[in-house]
Amino acid sequence: MLPREMNERLYYSSLDVQWLASAAAPRIALLEKVTSSQTVIENVRSGIADDVQRLFPQDTRGLALALVTGDRTGIDAETRRSFSLAGTAHILSVSGLHVGVIALVLLILLARLRLPWLRFGLYITLLVMYMLLSGAQPSIVRATVMAILVFFASLHQREAHLFNVLCLAVFIMIVVTPQDIFSIGFYLSVASLAGIALVYEPIEAFFHRFIPANRAWQRSVIASLSVSLSASIIVGPLVAWFFSLYSVISPLANLVVVPVTSLGMIYTFCAVLAAQVFEPVGMLFAFSADALFRCAGWATTFAASLPGAAVHGEMALWVSLGMSAATVYVCTARSGRLAVFRGSVSAVVMVLAGALLYTTS
């Protein structure tokens, strides 16, 4: 590695590459052909890619394909950079968020089936198909296992506690595929859910204590902001540690970008399915998804361009730790006066710590 050069091994690790090797062409031999199931999956992925290529304009084609199949090769470097600075890079690939959206849609569609075990069987089958179609990355597998466990608990009329379900899913994954413990994506995925499971309720209660939420959209905004903050409390320092980048604007950016892209992903699926029957209807869904993706892109670019939107380099880790500690410290306040006091103390401490680190560096 040269000074200021990209850490190649860390980059490969973030893509869940398990090993690297090089060999001269005469030394490469094909030991076996791919299995029939892999061939079917690749054929389906190729067909979806052709449909997306035909239905979407070039500007949003890469994002649509990434959300449906996990193929990010069509996303340009500038878009990746904007999403990274805005803290919304997790949207560019299929992750636990997208599996959750698909699981919710399946629950709504299968709700009318009276036989619970038939509903459970179809639910598992469709979720696993989506997991395989999108590449079966550790974050996707984790979300799929958790969605299945929650559904299974509901069939037996048991309350599913998020942290317990997360721990069981992690245990199953490590037993089945122990190499996941070397995956950065696995760590980030588990950390985001751990943050939501541990501190979501106190943060949501904090906002409800001081902000009136009499309407559904107000409660939705508070819930979305609470999810983003609780996830970033643990994920933020990890991202800063691995990639030397911390997005300060991430909770607010996700508040807009996540619901817009999630709806766009649903429309993309509808576009691909409808195009198999009647292409004009597919084009209509694709037009709606394209508009949503453009809105998400504009919001991300605007958030990334704001002064102080992200912190780079060695300072990123310290800023992320300070922001996480301050969020927990302020959001556990029981009164408005105490919250203002804790916020003031946190701001003063962070300014002094930043000045000290800047002078010593």
Side-chain angles (χ1 to χ4, degrees):
M1 289 178 56
L2 299 175
R4 300 182 180 273
E5 188 181 35
M6 181 188 71
N7 189 328
E8 187 177 2
R9 288 184 176 273
L10 187 59
Y11 171 72
Y12 288 143
S13 180
S14 69
L15 299 178
D16 297 313
V17 174
Q18 302 299 330
W19 54 273
L20 301 175
S22 60
R27 296 180 178 272
I28 298 176
L30 180 63
L31 300 181
E32 61 179 346
K33 293 184 178 181
V34 294
T35 61
S36 58
S37 59
Q38 291 174 325
T39 304
V40 171
I41 292 172
E42 289 303 320
N43 289 338
V44 173
R45 288 168 62 93
S46 178
I48 292 176
D50 293 339
D51 292 334
V52 171
Q53 183 87 9
R54 188 175 69 257
L55 295 172
F56 284 82
Q58 186 176 359
D59 294 345
T60 57
R61 187 179 300 155
L63 180 56
L65 190 60
L67 292 175
V68 176
T69 66
D71 182 3
R72 292 177 289 177
T73 56
I75 302 177
D76 59 88
E78 185 61 29
T79 300
R80 292 171 183 261
R81 180 178 181 277
S82 297
F83 275 79
S84 296
L85 294 177
T88 56
H90 59 97
I91 295 173
L92 296 181
S93 60
V94 179
S95 61
L97 168 68
H98 306 95
V99 175
V101 173
I102 296 298
L104 179 61
V105 172
L106 290 178
L107 287 176
I108 296 174
L109 295 178
L110 300 176
R112 293 186 176 275
L113 291 179
R114 295 184 178 181
L115 297 177
W117 287 104
L118 176 60
R119 187 166 67 246
F120 182 58
L122 290 174
Y123 178 79
I124 291 179
T125 302
L126 294 174
L127 262 188
V128 171
M129 287 175 59
Y130 178 67
M131 179 188 72
L132 296 175
L133 178 65
S134 55
Q137 298 296 322
S139 60
I140 307 170
V141 176
R142 189 270 311 157
T144 303
V145 173
M146 288 187 66
I148 293 173
L149 290 174
V150 170
F151 198 109
F152 183 78
S154 68
L155 284 181
H156 290 80
Q157 299 181 351
R158 298 293 183 92
E159 184 179 358
H161 296 279
L162 181 59
F163 191 75
N164 294 341
V165 174
L166 173 63
C167 292
L168 180 56
V170 170
F171 175 77
I172 292 173
M173 290 181 64
I174 292 178
V175 170
V176 177
T177 54
Q179 66 268 22
D180 285 343
I181 61 175
F182 299 104
S183 168
I184 293 179
F186 175 73
Y187 291 138
L188 297 180
S189 176
V190 173
S192 64
L193 261 294
I196 294 172
L198 294 175
V199 296
Y200 168 77
E201 291 184 0
I203 292 178
E204 185 188 36
F206 171 81
F207 285 119
H208 279 291
R209 194 177 298 121
F210 305 111
I211 301 176
N214 301 321
R215 299 182 180 180
W217 70 268
Q218 294 173 327
R219 292 190 292 271
S220 298
V221 170
I222 289 177
S224 299
L225 184 58
S226 301
V227 167
S228 183
L229 280 174
S230 57
S232 65
I233 285 175
I234 300 181
V235 171
L238 283 178
V239 172
W241 172 264
F242 288 126
F243 304 108
S244 299
L245 173 67
Y246 176 69
S247 176
V248 180
I249 201 69
S250 174
L252 295 178
N254 278 285
L255 190 64
V256 177
V257 177
V258 167
V260 171
T261 53
S262 298
L263 185 58
M265 181 184 68
I266 296 174
Y267 281 158
T268 301
F269 271 109
C270 294
V272 172
L273 294 175
Q276 313 306 315
V277 181
F278 190 54
E279 186 159 322
V281 177
M283 293 292 294
L284 181 62
F285 278 114
F287 177 79
S288 301
D290 173 70
L292 291 170
F293 292 151
R294 291 181 185 276
C295 290
W298 293 332
T300 299
T301 303
F302 173 75
S305 65
L306 292 175
V311 180
H312 304 265
E314 297 178 356
M315 289 286 293
L317 178 60
W318 299 108
V319 172
S320 65
L321 290 173
M323 291 292 291
S324 295
T327 302
V328 175
Y329 183 55
V330 173
C331 291
T332 52
R334 295 292 182 179
S335 65
R337 184 174 300 177
L338 182 59
V340 172
F341 172 77
R342 290 185 175 184
S344 302
V345 171
S346 300
V348 171
V349 170
M350 291 192 67
V351 169
L352 293 177
L356 179 62
L357 289 172
Y358 179 78
T359 54
T360 54
S361 61

